[in-house]
Amino acid sequence: MLDPSFLFAQSLSGLTAAMFLFLIASGLSLVFGVLRVLNFAHGTFYMLGAYSAYQIVLWIGPGPGTFWVAALGAALGIAVLGGLIERLLFRHLYGKEELYHLLFTYALVLILSDAAKILWGTQQKSVSRPPGLAGAFTLFGVTVPYYNLFILLLGPAIALGFWFMLQRTRVGRFIRAAALDRETLGTLGVNVSGLYTGVFVLASFLGGLGGALVTPVRTIVPGMDTEIIVEAFVVVVIGGLGSFWGTFLGALIYGQVLSFGILLFPRFSIFSVFALMAAVLILRPWGLLGRPLK
Amino acid sequence: MTAPPLLAVEEIYTSYGLSQVLFGVSLEVAAGECVCLLGRNGVGKTTTMRTIMGLTPPGRGRVRWKGQDIAGRPPHRIARLGIGFVPEDRRIFAELTVGENLDVARRGAGGRWTEDRVFELFPKLRELRDRQGGVLSGGEQQMLTIARTLMGNPELLLLDEPSEGLAPLVVHHLGEQIGRLKREGLTILLAEQNVDFSLALADRVYVVEKGRIRFQGTARAFREDESIRQQYLAL
Ligand SMILES: Nc1ncnc2c1ncn2[C@@H]1O[C@H](COP(=O)(O)OP(=O)(O)OP(=O)(O)O)[C@@H](O)[C@H]1O
Ligand SMILES: [Mg+2]
């Protein structure tokens, strides 16, 4: 059982899962950090990204570029959907009690998941890997699909790009300032409500992209929205809500704990993750890299 | 017909929820003037400035900028018209560096204020450029909050109690810098409780009490009328 190549395979699969989790959880964390709304519908954007990618693949038909067009198209579609939801609905929530956030975003989860069932039924759907990345290679006796390698490289690339945007660009400075003091940023001439929309669109894009990119490795089923939102929530709680690298770290830890937890508690692998979350909440309630609320 | 004043506040009534704070405040600021709003704690000086800035829009009344009514517009639009607000509680972005605090407010390319120019006015800030805003002392934060607002190249500066909570020496220094801004032609509306600090800068004075203007006149007229000071400003 402690065969090194088996352990390597487990840790690699945990790492791949972590990259998807990071894509989803970073948007959840960004929206919470800046807009101060915990968006339970964020997992629904992920699910809709997956269904949209499936739909676009159906429309275009097989071809070398089909998957990539579908993934990008799905992410953009979800970004637009997110923008509309923010403009028309979300903005009435800012500054209100958390209970309203919870009720509203939960209602959104129910409505959108029913809409998805109407559009795509309840049968499982799947999308095949893009032809260019269909193969696999062997590393330390483990077969690694090229597609997984792509995800392993894409995750850190997106994390670095995201970090660069937040730290080194003017828009990033606006976003960080808005997270600290929305009112003051407005008096300095910055259109904060437009900025909020932009942040929400970006988060929705990442969620939709995560859903689209997961389709070659996971089947698309109703319920994948609530499953991922719980996981993403655990990730941000472990890493620290609103903390960028905390989210990345949280995703890495989650992925590893989940894939090795299977070895310890084969039938309750999720248990080890919740045990970890409980431990973090007891020892560092603000998360590993988060900061205590003032 | 003479040109309208730069800013004219006309009979504004402002409330926070059910508690009414301003009862028909009117005031004017002409281009190039330094006008001071004096009054004790809680009389409505900050609320007047927040109303001008669009942060707490008035229930009734008008705020005219160059003759045009701007009441009800969102703060970022009002800022872009050329009104800069320096809040009493400074509101530095604690986790942004001094340089980033300034950059966020940069506006009006080609205007007279650049990072270099505000560092000339407040040389201390240059040394602190890469320091996080949250670790600055009270006096340094006060300089930064003024510098930050200047980065937007405003025509009118609303300065809310800049002297509050600062040591006498720092207040003196700050007064000199605000005087320099005034001499360079910036129009200033200053809210203060510190009478001596204000009189060193103000051309005209409004005294506020319980949300109403009780006196208006030149700084000289105010200085000569000891009874006003006794009635509305003594503790
Ligand atoms: N957000 C708020 N909600 C409710 N009441 C408020 C709020 N802000 C101020 N007030 C009340 O409005 C009144 C005027 O306050 P304001 O801050 O305008 O006074 P001020 O003249 O600036 O006082 P200070 O010199 O202490 O800064 C006070 O009675 C205050 O308690
Ligand atoms: Mg005040």
Side-chain angles (χ1 to χ4, degrees):
Chain A
M1 180 173 157
L2 286 178
D3 168 26
S5 80
F6 173 73
L7 291 183
F8 181 60
Q10 283 306 106
S11 108
L12 219 51
S13 92
L15 211 52
T16 314
M19 295 304 117
F20 285 115
L21 273 173
F22 171 72
L23 274 186
I24 315 308
S26 60
L28 184 71
S29 176
L30 180 71
V31 165
F32 180 80
V34 181
L35 281 61
R36 301 279 153 199
V37 176
L38 194 54
N39 178 19
F40 280 102
H42 193 68
T44 309
F45 294 162
Y46 160 87
M47 179 178 75
L48 293 177
Y51 275 118
S52 309
Y54 163 81
Q55 190 63 52
I56 298 174
V57 167
L58 271 193
W59 282 333
I60 307 182
T66 296
F67 177 78
W68 303 113
V69 172
L72 202 62
L76 289 173
I78 301 307
V80 170
L81 176 72
L84 288 174
I85 289 177
E86 197 278 337
R87 281 263 123 156
L88 300 175
L89 306 168
F90 246 71
R91 53 189 41 211
H92 304 289
L93 293 175
Y94 304 142
K96 299 244 165 67
E97 283 170 54
E98 278 84 0
L99 183 62
Y100 290 104
H101 301 178
L102 189 78
L103 289 174
F104 174 78
T105 62
Y106 188 57
L108 211 55
V109 169
L110 297 178
I111 293 168
L112 291 175
S113 69
D114 270 3
K117 274 183 208 151
I118 292 168
L119 287 170
W120 289 287
T122 52
Q123 292 286 311
Q124 294 193 355
K125 309 274 187 240
S126 63
V127 170
S128 42
R129 274 181 284 178
L133 297 177
F137 63 101
T138 309
L139 187 66
F140 304 124
V142 177
T143 307
V144 184
Y146 284 122
Y147 188 77
N148 292 31
L149 179 68
F150 161 72
I151 295 298
L152 289 176
L153 296 174
L154 183 73
I158 287 185
L160 282 176
F162 201 159
W163 176 83
F164 183 86
M165 185 275 287
L166 283 177
Q167 294 298 323
R168 295 280 180 270
T169 69
R170 189 142 193 252
V171 169
R173 285 191 269 277
F174 286 158
I175 292 175
R176 285 186 291 135
L180 295 168
D181 188 342
R182 166 178 193 168
E183 181 181 281
T184 298
L185 190 63
T187 65
L188 296 172
V190 176
N191 179 357
V192 182
S193 91
L195 188 71
Y196 272 28
T197 308
V199 164
F200 202 81
V201 164
L202 175 65
S204 310
F205 178 87
L206 290 173
L209 185 69
L213 292 179
V214 88
T215 54
V217 295
R218 264 180 236 168
T219 51
I220 311 167
V221 284
M224 69 190 285
D225 53 344
T226 40
E227 194 181 315
I228 196 85
I229 194 65
V230 170
E231 292 186 313
F233 187 66
V234 174
V235 163
V236 294
V237 168
I238 293 175
L241 256 179
S243 153
F244 180 78
W245 289 115
T247 305
F248 196 72
L249 182 67
L252 289 179
I253 294 175
Y254 188 111
Q256 294 308 313
V257 169
L258 190 67
S259 50
F260 286 100
I262 289 185
L263 307 180
L264 296 174
F265 313 98
R267 298 185 53 201
F268 307 99
S269 62
I270 196 85
F271 169 80
S272 39
V273 180
F274 283 108
L276 175 71
M277 179 169 93
V280 168
L281 280 177
I282 291 165
L283 299 173
R284 266 182 86 85
W286 49 89
L288 294 177
L289 300 185
R291 238 157 306 162
L293 288 176
K294 270 155 242 138
Chain B
M1 204 185 117
T2 54
L6 197 57
L7 176 79
V9 171
E10 299 172 3
E11 288 281 309
I12 51 170
Y13 290 75
T14 302
S15 29
Y16 293 102
L18 290 177
S19 80
Q20 175 115 18
V21 175
L22 300 185
F23 300 86
V25 167
S26 300
L27 59 88
E28 284 186 3
V29 185
E33 257 190 324
C34 179
V35 173
C36 189
L37 210 52
L38 280 171
R40 293 189 191 115
N41 269 326
V43 295
K45 305 181 295 293
T46 297
T47 306
T48 303
M49 293 203 159
R50 289 177 60 86
T51 303
I52 296 169
M53 205 58 215
L55 292 165
T56 48
R60 266 165 60 197
R62 277 169 303 276
V63 177
R64 289 191 191 279
W65 173 250
K66 299 177 180 174
Q68 193 183 18
D69 188 10
I70 59 168
R73 295 196 194 175
H76 73 273
R77 295 220 169 275
I78 292 177
R80 289 176 189 184
L81 292 172
I83 304 182
F85 177 47
V86 180
E88 135 179 71
D89 44 1
R90 291 155 202 166
R91 300 281 196 108
I92 297 305
F93 299 115
E95 288 164 31
L96 270 58
T97 64
V98 168
E100 287 175 332
N101 266 279
L102 294 175
D103 179 71
V104 155
R106 195 182 76 224
R107 193 160 285 285
R112 76 185 252 77
W113 292 103
T114 58
E115 191 186 79
D116 251 359
R117 286 292 326 269
V118 301
F119 284 161
E120 265 169 47
L121 184 67
F122 301 111
K124 187 74 198 289
L125 292 180
R126 194 189 296 273
E127 301 158 30
L128 300 169
R129 188 173 185 278
D130 297 318
R131 205 73 68 77
Q132 294 225 316
V135 303
L136 268 49
S137 72
E140 291 161 355
Q141 290 200 352
Q142 186 60 56
M143 290 179 212
L144 178 56
T145 188
I146 295 174
R148 184 175 66 180
T149 301
L150 290 175
M151 288 295 286
N153 284 295
E155 285 177 65
L156 167 68
L157 197 62
L158 306 176
L159 267 175
D160 196 359
E161 290 205 47
S163 76
E164 194 188 11
L166 300 180
L169 200 65
V170 182
V171 172
H172 176 75
H173 189 58
L174 192 68
E176 284 179 351
Q177 276 143 330
I178 296 171
R180 201 176 131 189
L181 291 175
K182 181 191 164 187
R183 282 193 301 280
E184 289 179 11
L186 189 62
T187 311
I188 299 172
L189 177 62
L190 176 71
E192 266 298 341
Q193 297 194 46
N194 183 333
V195 176
D196 298 326
F197 177 79
S198 312
L199 288 184
L201 294 163
D203 300 309
R204 287 192 304 117
V205 172
Y206 289 88
V207 175
V208 198
E209 192 215 33
K210 292 186 189 151
R212 291 177 174 86
I213 301 288
R214 297 297 187 174
F215 168 89
Q216 56 176 303
T218 60
R220 165 195 280 257
F222 174 80
R223 216 176 278 125
E224 285 167 359
D225 191 342
E226 187 59 34
S227 68
I228 295 164
R229 204 189 275 224
Q230 282 301 324
Q231 202 176 344
Y232 299 118
L233 295 165
L235 291 173

